[in-house]
Amino acid sequence: MNKKTTPWNPPVADSMSSAVEASMYNSIQAILRQAASSCNKGMLRWTLHKKVETHPSNSVSLVRVLVKELEKVERLDYKMHVIPLLHTLNYVIIQSSHIPCNLFQRVYECFKRLLTLPEPYCTITLRYMRSIKMEQITPGALYQRRVIAEQSLRNKHFPQQERVFVFADPAVFSGSLWQAVRADLVLAGPQSDTLARWVLLHTLQAGLGKACHGPILTQALEDLGEDVEKYFQEVVLAVEQSIENGEAGRDQHKTRLQHIYSDILTSANQDPKARGSLSNTPLPSPEIHFHLWTNEEELWNELVNFTLNISTSERNSMYQEEEEEDVSKRVSLLSVDSGIEKDLSDMEEREQRNPLTRSRSPCFRGRMKPEDKMALVQENIKGPTCSTPLPKEEGNLTARIVMMGDDRVLGRLAKVYHSIRKREAKHLILTKRVNLQIYYIPVTDEPIVNSPESTSQVGDRLSLASFLGRVDPWYESNINSLGAMIPKLARTQSRHSRSSEPNHFLVDVLSYYLRCGLQPVHFTLYSVKISVSGQTGSPVNEVFVSHLDAEFPEFKTLRENLKQERSSLRRTRKTLGTCGAVVSMNYTKVSLSKQEVVQGMSVMTCGVVISAISPNETEGLDSLTVHFDSTNPRCCTEIRTQNIKIRILEDKTFTVCLDKDCRRKYTHVQSIEISPCLDPGYCLQTSSKFSVGEEREAGLSKYMCKILPLPINTFTGINH
């Protein structure tokens, strides 16, 4: 009689779990299926994570399915599935309320075996492996740190803070498109007390598992009101100390969480021993600052303001702590002997010795000059001369810069990025405090025509996005698919009333990209010296990242006709005598042996196209393809080089357009000289005069990277 228990309850639970796993398996297979379009893959991925967010109990089933698929990849060598599975698994673990220890160990062991894969798989695996280990020892740490950093929740124990800046190119974003995208991205986020409750709920559920009753805890946190701040600080401290102690402090951490859980329920008049189901804790999107990028200096100003505001906030916090400590001393003193003049004079003397107890950070309103802002940043970083410097770790701030547009917006970014590096080479201020991460969401407001017969330049303006999509299929599925989708979302929103709820798809995809896209692709920047006719002094120094077009006004019509009718032999013979202007060029030929061979020649051309983006991702990003257009097939020349100088020999000039942007066009040009852009820090290091004690440091310049790259974050990156 006692050998069999009630047979129906466990099988029902098992069948429900199997049904959920089967559903998750089908979703994963749909994402991995090669036949699925990139747009559909991105939408399927978003739908899958939404299921976990809505039904947190599904997360364990999804983790099991993902681990099984990774183990299958390991056996069958399906490397193309590694990146999607790794990113999906890591994101689910951040979302999950609780994952059993044995499942965590299985994930960790699987990751250890994946470390034998080549780049970039092993690099991404190692990064996530460290995160998984931390989450295994301290459950809920990934979610807690992520929310605190993204939402800038004030605490004394985890100083990391992040800020997201989205810059949209006005050349692509019309008024209606800009308003629609801004409405989708700049959402009214939860208040800080709500975020603190979410962190408490998630961390306690992740750490205690079945020993926690999610619904009762949720209600208890609501009832606490402002008192929730005290428990939030306790949980943050407990998690950070657990991370520091490592595996040895796991039991102590769980006991500490149990005490906090019991105290919260007791304070809210709830049963401190309540056990039950888990509640949903959403992963809030980061706060996004959206800008229509009309002024290039706006990016620099935002970075300075970010550093300045945080530094001022930290300083005010320190002042407040000093004042609270001083007030407590004053109260203690007065309570002992409040009427003795000597005691009061001693207090005044201590105040004079410690000006921090009364000083305040300077207030500033209105516009400030850039040099004044930088002086204020330096003051906030170093601290006033009358006091000790602020106790501060470098690199606690992360600025995530998201560019939205086509190749033109990245061309403008390249120019600004070079300017920032040039400023930082002289005054290393922001670099010491701010970790700069750059992201790119390609957007076009015109239909993309894939027909090979089409002469539209819309596809050409997305050459950088196309390259990123070729080297990173997961970027193609999740980010490149937004290029044509964003204008459609805007048109859909314009047809609905303004009172309708905002579409969360765009902000969810952007959040996923910001959190998982941490592998950079480095685009080489090229400097170009432009000599303009009639201009005295030095040539104009510019920077481009993807494209330079040189056009001769006299042959503009001829060149346009040439693009349309290249195959007409009859036309070629007719125009043989007027096939372009004569230019001379000197260039360094790119060879397989990497040896530099300087060559010179003269050609007759009606236009020059210089591209830094190779149509073949295997050729890399370290050389230029230079094509000379001509109506004469014998004059059509294409070379590969890193350095080139082009000068017109006749009494003519030409027009130069950078990165296909008419806003960066130069007329009456006589010559251009192009070379890889040197890092301003390297230039300053090699050109400075060092004293005897600094000779060893100067020698380190030979180990520095000479060329300045523009790093764009993707999910896979490129191994250099």
Side-chain angles (χ1 to χ4, degrees):
M1 293 290 293
N2 296 330
K3 291 183 179 180
K4 292 185 179 181
T5 58
T6 307
W8 55 271
N9 201 11
V12 169
D14 291 342
S15 63
M16 290 178 61
S17 177
S18 300
V20 171
E21 287 195 22
S23 174
M24 296 297 175
Y25 174 80
N26 292 333
S27 299
I28 292 296
Q29 293 305 310
I31 294 173
L32 299 178
R33 195 173 298 124
Q34 294 296 315
S37 67
S38 296
C39 182
N40 287 339
K41 286 184 179 182
M43 186 65 73
L44 289 170
R45 195 257 342 139
W46 175 75
T47 304
L48 183 64
H49 288 301
K50 276 296 178 184
K51 287 181 181 178
V52 174
E53 182 178 304
T54 308
H55 305 286
S57 59
N58 292 347
S59 60
V60 175
S61 299
L62 181 54
V63 170
R64 287 198 185 100
V65 171
L66 290 168
V67 175
K68 290 178 182 177
E69 288 301 310
L70 279 172
E71 292 169 347
K72 186 193 299 183
V73 165
E74 180 190 354
R75 293 193 308 270
L76 302 179
D77 198 25
Y78 288 164
K79 291 188 180 69
M80 73 287 294
H81 294 168
V82 172
I83 300 299
L85 291 172
L86 283 175
H87 288 306
T88 304
L89 177 57
N90 180 74
Y91 206 72
V92 171
I93 288 176
I94 296 176
Q95 289 180 296
S96 300
S97 297
H98 178 71
I99 295 177
C101 293
N102 59 345
L103 186 55
F104 256 132
Q105 189 60 32
R106 184 177 174 184
V107 173
Y108 187 76
E109 294 297 329
C110 178
F111 278 23
K112 283 172 63 176
R113 295 190 296 271
L114 292 177
L115 289 176
T116 59
L117 295 177
E119 292 278 5
Y121 311 108
C122 60
T123 300
I124 300 173
T125 300
L126 181 60
R127 177 161 61 87
Y128 284 155
M129 188 176 173
R130 290 167 178 162
S131 299
I132 295 299
K133 191 63 177 177
M134 182 177 70
E135 185 73 9
Q136 183 181 8
I137 295 173
T138 310
L142 293 177
Y143 178 95
Q144 177 172 297
R145 284 187 162 189
R146 174 59 46 205
V147 174
I148 289 175
E150 290 179 349
Q151 307 296 333
S152 299
L153 295 182
R154 292 187 59 182
N155 67 94
K156 304 175 184 178
H157 315 293
F158 183 66
Q160 299 291 336
Q161 294 194 39
E162 298 181 2
R163 191 72 55 84
V164 179
F165 303 98
V166 177
F167 292 92
D169 192 352
V172 174
F173 285 78
S174 61
S176 58
L177 179 60
W178 174 72
Q179 292 291 346
V181 173
R182 186 180 185 277
D184 283 347
L185 290 181
V186 184
L187 304 175
Q191 298 295 323
S192 58
D193 56 344
T194 301
L195 293 168
R197 285 196 293 269
W198 287 357
V199 169
L200 275 166
L201 179 62
H202 187 277
T203 303
L204 292 174
Q205 288 186 145
L208 300 178
K210 295 179 180 179
C212 177
H213 196 296
I216 291 180
L217 177 60
T218 302
Q219 185 59 50
L221 292 172
E222 291 282 349
D223 296 340
L224 283 177
E226 295 181 356
D227 292 339
V228 75
E229 175 67 18
K230 177 184 71 172
Y231 296 106
F232 169 73
Q233 297 292 343
E234 287 185 23
V235 163
V236 174
L237 176 60
V239 166
E240 292 305 314
Q241 287 183 343
S242 175
I243 294 172
E244 184 179 348
N245 295 334
E247 194 134 10
R250 181 186 295 185
D251 294 337
Q252 181 183 359
H253 173 65
K254 189 170 183 178
T255 303
R256 193 170 183 180
L257 292 184
Q258 185 65 58
H259 285 314
I260 296 174
Y261 173 72
S262 300
D263 288 347
I264 292 174
L265 296 189
T266 302
S267 300
N269 298 320
Q270 299 285 352
D271 181 10
K273 297 181 179 180
R275 307 288 184 268
S277 60
L278 302 181
S279 293
N280 179 31
T281 51
L283 180 59
S285 301
E287 183 182 358
I288 295 173
H289 301 259
F290 189 82
H291 302 270
L292 192 64
W293 199 24
T294 55
N295 182 7
E296 292 180 353
E297 281 293 314
E298 194 172 6
L299 195 156
W300 165 261
N301 291 335
E302 286 295 338
L303 291 176
V304 172
N305 289 335
F306 175 39
T307 307
L308 188 59
N309 292 339
I310 297 300
S311 300
T312 305
S313 175
E314 289 173 350
R315 181 178 300 280
N316 289 338
S317 177
M318 186 187 70
Y319 291 150
Q320 184 178 0
E321 291 177 4
E322 291 274 356
E323 283 189 344
E324 289 175 355
E325 181 181 352
D326 182 62
V327 167
S328 64
K329 289 179 179 179
R330 186 188 296 268
V331 170
S332 175
L333 176 65
L334 294 178
S335 64
V336 174
D337 214 341
S338 58
I340 300 178
E341 294 183 5
K342 180 180 182 302
D343 293 335
L344 296 175
S345 62
D346 289 344
M347 178 65 67
E348 293 175 357
E349 183 181 349
R350 278 194 294 273
E351 285 184 351
Q352 292 175 358
R353 287 201 305 265
N354 188 6
L356 277 179
T357 59
R358 293 180 298 175
S359 61
R360 291 292 184 274
S361 60
C363 296
F364 53 95
R365 293 178 178 269
R367 295 190 177 186
M368 299 179 64
K369 295 180 180 179
E371 56 268 22
D372 295 335
K373 277 189 177 182
M374 293 313 300
L376 198 54
V377 171
Q378 283 181 300
E379 178 189 346
N380 277 278
I381 291 176
K382 296 177 181 178
T385 55
C386 62
S387 66
T388 57
L390 292 175
K392 190 187 288 50
E393 295 181 10
E394 295 179 357
N396 285 337
L397 308 180
T398 298
R400 303 194 185 276
I401 308 296
V402 183
M403 310 308 298
M404 298 184 75
D406 50 29
D407 289 350
R408 292 172 291 181
V409 75
L410 287 186
R412 296 177 67 202
L413 173 65
K415 181 180 178 180
V416 173
Y417 183 70
H418 177 262
S419 174
I420 291 175
R421 293 298 296 261
K422 197 171 182 179
R423 291 177 179 179
E424 286 294 290
K426 297 178 181 179
H427 306 286
L428 196 63
I429 299 174
L430 292 184
T431 305
K432 295 179 70 175
R433 295 224 56 199
V434 181
N435 173 25
L436 190 63
Q437 298 289 322
I438 302 174
Y439 302 80
Y440 173 46
I441 295 181
V443 181
T444 176
D445 57 344
E446 301 178 37
I448 300 176
V449 181
N450 294 323
S451 172
E453 290 81 12
S454 173
T455 59
S456 172
Q457 292 189 1
V458 177
D460 294 340
R461 285 180 178 167
L462 295 176
S463 59
L464 290 161
S466 299
F467 180 85
L468 292 175
R470 291 195 301 271
V471 300
D472 186 351
W474 201 232
Y475 180 90
E476 176 72 23
S477 299
N478 290 276
I479 307 303
N480 267 354
S481 59
L482 296 175
M485 188 183 300
I486 288 177
K488 291 180 182 178
L489 290 173
R491 287 192 291 269
T492 302
Q493 182 174 328
S494 64
R495 288 194 293 265
H496 293 78
S497 62
R498 293 186 177 180
S499 60
S500 60
E501 292 186 4
N503 192 322
H504 288 268
F505 174 76
L506 181 57
V507 71
D508 287 344
V509 173
L510 177 57
S511 301
Y512 178 77
Y513 181 28
L514 294 170
R515 291 159 179 164
C516 297
L518 301 175
Q519 299 298 120
V521 172
H522 294 90
F523 290 99
T524 301
L525 298 186
Y526 288 90
S527 63
V528 52
K529 295 180 180 179
I530 303 174
S531 297
V532 180
S533 176
Q535 179 177 332
T536 59
S538 303
V540 178
N541 292 309
E542 265 282 9
V543 174
F544 71 95
V545 65
S546 66
H547 189 272
L548 183 147
D549 186 270
E551 190 172 64
F552 301 88
E554 296 88 344
F555 306 103
K556 182 177 180 180
T557 304
L558 183 65
R559 189 186 187 194
E560 290 175 352
N561 293 335
L562 177 65
K563 291 180 179 179
Q564 296 176 357
E565 302 181 31
R566 286 184 178 274
S567 60
S568 175
L569 180 62
R570 184 179 177 182
R571 180 178 180 82
T572 302
R573 287 176 177 171
K574 281 186 177 181
T575 58
L576 197 58
T578 58
C579 55
V582 179
V583 299
S584 70
M585 62 174 174
N586 294 299
Y587 67 97
T588 303
K589 187 176 181 180
V590 175
S591 62
L592 295 176
S593 62
K594 301 295 183 181
Q595 294 180 352
E596 294 187 355
V597 180
V598 179
Q599 295 190 355
M601 60 185 295
S602 297
V603 295
M604 186 173 289
T605 179
C606 58
V608 184
V609 178
I610 301 176
S611 177
I613 307 300
S614 170
N616 185 359
E617 62 271 16
T618 60
E619 294 180 1
L621 296 167
D622 56 354
S623 64
L624 297 168
T625 301
V626 185
H627 180 80
F628 294 88
D629 285 332
S630 178
T631 56
N632 188 342
R634 290 175 295 178
C635 296
C636 288
T637 308
E638 185 170 289
I639 61 174
R640 289 182 63 81
T641 182
Q642 284 187 323
N643 304 270
I644 187 170
K645 183 175 182 180
I646 300 174
R647 181 171 59 90
I648 192 167
L649 296 179
E650 302 171 336
D651 189 18
K652 295 183 177 68
T653 60
F654 56 96
T655 301
V656 171
C657 183
L658 301 175
D659 291 317
K660 307 161 193 171
D661 193 344
C662 62
R663 296 164 296 184
R664 303 177 64 206
K665 181 178 285 189
Y666 293 85
T667 57
H668 307 294
V669 177
Q670 290 181 319
S671 68
I672 56 174
E673 185 175 353
I674 302 171
S675 60
C677 185
L678 297 180
D679 192 316
Y682 174 84
C683 297
L684 188 66
Q685 179 79 5
T686 54
S687 62
S688 299
K689 295 181 180 180
F690 294 91
S691 62
V692 177
E694 295 175 314
E695 287 181 356
R696 182 176 298 178
E697 183 180 354
L700 294 176
S701 62
K702 62 183 178 181
Y703 301 107
M704 297 173 64
C705 182
K706 295 171 59 176
I707 309 303
L708 177 64
L710 178 67
I712 304 295
N713 280 359
T714 65
F715 298 99
T716 303
I718 294 181
N719 180 36
H720 288 276

